[in-house]
Amino acid sequence: MPDADSEFVFELRACRWAELHWPPGDDGRGASAADADSDDDRPRPVVVARQLGTKRRRWDTIVLEVDPEGLRERRNFGRERLDPDLLHVVRNAPAEWAWYRDALPHPDYPWRYVRESIHAADDRGILDVRKHGNKLQIRRKWRYPDWVRRIVAVENKPDLDASAARALKPQLEYDVALGLADEVWVATRKTGERVEPALLEAVPVEAGILTLDDESEAAAGGVARDAASVEWFPRSLAVDDPGTRILDRPSGGKYDQSAATFEYADPERKATKRLEIAERAYERGWRNYAETMRPDCRHFQLRREGRSLLPYCAAKGRNQTDRECAGSCLEFSPEPPQWRMGAWPIEGGPGKAIRRLLEDRRERARPD
């Protein structure tokens, strides 16, 4: 069973649960994107990612509820994300050949950067490009699909006591006011009490509360649907309306009557930012933790928990966190050269095998 004190491991288990059983509740519609077409009921497909967001706000977990056919069409554009400049090009590329300045909306930056994006899209094989005389012409290869239905943000707090709730409250209020995500949830550890303590903490009423049972999930291999319970359903946020971005708020106190500082977020800009977040989530997924950890350490392992794989440190005898699994760790010991020479240079050692395994599992969460 994972270390109960590790918020990182709790987050990984929450991501795996969401990938298999989203949405929370008893309607039976949840399933992973890979299983979306497994039967006639066709549960809601999702793509799950972790630790991403905007410049001002980063979420622990993001759940993209997607259109299955649109997700398949998105695959035409490759596994890598499309950055804002590439999105500007491929979303507006014409069906027939046209000079790029006639075909694309005027950007809010110099045209030379648009040309760079056009050449980058050409290099990736996602845009037709040619020179006609002295003019650069473009033509789309595929229509960029409307593949994202909803974006759900989840904050993971396994131990949501009063101090954790006070620290989390401003972040959730920011999310609710901005309305960038369709829903906001807090996932915490189930205590088994008649009234879960999370319901008594200072959490905005617009945010949903989801409790996960460590023991029942571990006993069921980390994938049991009933291991999660909805204690409070969230309100749907107005993602199509102007949002309010809170820049600064009063420090509080009996005599503090100062107003918060805020600005409005344009709906069009919100829609663009939502798509950028979705593209990053599509590329990264939630299994990218090996990119910030040291699987090339001889002590690094992946321990199976049902259909889940969790990082494990043999030197510490427990599930490690992503912060402590680094080259600065006192227990860090690089793989011996002979481990990496067996199938060198194609396959490498156990560290590279772990990366390949996690990438394969991440790829299986996308439809063929």
Side-chain angles (χ1 to χ4, degrees), residues 171-205:
Q171 302 175 47
L172 296 176
E173 289 176 340
Y174 179 94
D175 297 336
V176 171
L178 182 58
L180 192 59
D182 293 87
E183 287 180 358
V184 177
W185 290 77
V186 177
T188 187
R189 184 176 291 116
K190 183 187 291 292
T191 65
E193 298 182 18
R194 186 175 65 86
V195 177
E196 287 293 333
L199 286 170
L200 306 177
E201 303 297 350
V203 175
V205 296

Side-chain angles (χ1 to χ4, degrees), residues 135-353:
K135 290 189 174 182
L136 188 66
Q137 293 187 337
I138 61 174
R139 182 181 64 181
R140 74 178 182 215
K141 281 192 170 183
W142 306 281
R143 179 188 62 87
Y144 185 83
D146 183 16
W147 61 282
V148 182
R149 288 177 175 170
R150 301 171 78 241
I151 297 179
V152 180
V154 183
E155 286 297 319
N156 298 302
K157 291 294 178 186
D159 301 308
L160 189 65
D161 55 17
S163 61
R166 283 195 300 269
L168 188 59
K169 181 181 178 182
Q171 302 175 47
L172 296 176
E173 289 176 340
Y174 179 94
D175 297 336
V176 171
L178 182 58
L180 192 59
D182 293 87
E183 287 180 358
V184 177
W185 290 77
V186 177
T188 187
R189 184 176 291 116
K190 183 187 291 292
T191 65
E193 298 182 18
R194 186 175 65 86
V195 177
E196 287 293 333
L199 286 170
L200 306 177
E201 303 297 350
V203 175
V205 296
E206 295 87 353
I209 298 177
L210 183 70
T211 55
L212 298 175
D213 188 341
D214 280 352
E215 293 185 3
S216 65
E217 257 206 71
V223 297
R225 179 171 180 79
D226 58 3
S229 301
V230 178
E231 307 298 333
W232 187 270
F233 280 95
R235 295 181 184 175
S236 295
L237 304 179
V239 295
D240 297 325
D241 296 341
T244 302
R245 184 181 294 111
I246 301 174
L247 303 178
D248 193 15
R249 63 181 68 236
S251 59
K254 183 177 181 180
Y255 302 104
D256 187 356
Q257 299 183 5
S258 56
T261 303
F262 65 92
E263 65 182 11
Y264 289 111
D266 180 79
E268 184 177 346
R269 179 56 184 155
K270 283 172 55 177
T272 301
K273 182 58 66 176
R274 282 165 55 86
L275 190 54
E276 294 171 9
I277 292 172
E279 280 288 333
R280 292 168 61 199
Y282 178 86
E283 177 186 51
R284 291 177 55 177
W286 62 271
R287 294 181 177 87
N288 66 322
Y289 54 83
E291 298 172 9
T292 57
M293 302 177 78
R294 295 304 301 263
D296 58 331
C297 174
R298 70 165 70 208
H299 303 302
F300 190 97
Q301 301 175 8
L302 287 179
R303 289 285 181 94
R304 179 174 291 278
E305 185 181 286
R307 293 169 61 187
S308 301
L309 292 175
L310 299 176
Y312 184 87
C313 179
K316 296 180 173 64
R318 58 176 173 82
N319 296 98
Q320 73 277 44
T321 68
D322 55 344
R323 293 183 179 179
E324 65 182 331
C325 185
S328 58
C329 174
L330 297 179
E331 304 292 341
F332 175 70
S333 178
E335 295 174 343
Q338 57 267 30
W339 287 16
R340 301 192 296 269
M341 294 297 289
W344 186 90
I346 303 300
E347 297 180 10
K352 286 191 175 181

Side-chain angles (χ1 to χ4, degrees), residues 73-74 76-78 80-95 100 103-105 109 114 116-129 138-147 275 279:
E73 293 177 10
R74 167 58 186 83
N76 291 328
F77 296 88
E80 297 180 3
R81 71 183 175 101
L82 301 179
D83 62 29
D85 293 345
L86 283 174
L87 281 172
H88 177 74
V89 171
V90 299
R91 293 180 69 195
N92 296 289
Y100 75 97
L104 303 177
Y109 48 87
V114 177
E116 292 178 3
S117 299
I118 290 173
H119 291 305
D122 186 24
D123 292 340
R124 288 176 56 169
I126 58 177
L127 184 71
D128 287 333
V129 181
I138 61 174
R139 182 181 64 181
R140 74 178 182 215
K141 281 192 170 183
W142 306 281
R143 179 188 62 87
Y144 185 83
D146 183 16
W147 61 282
L275 190 54
E279 280 288 333

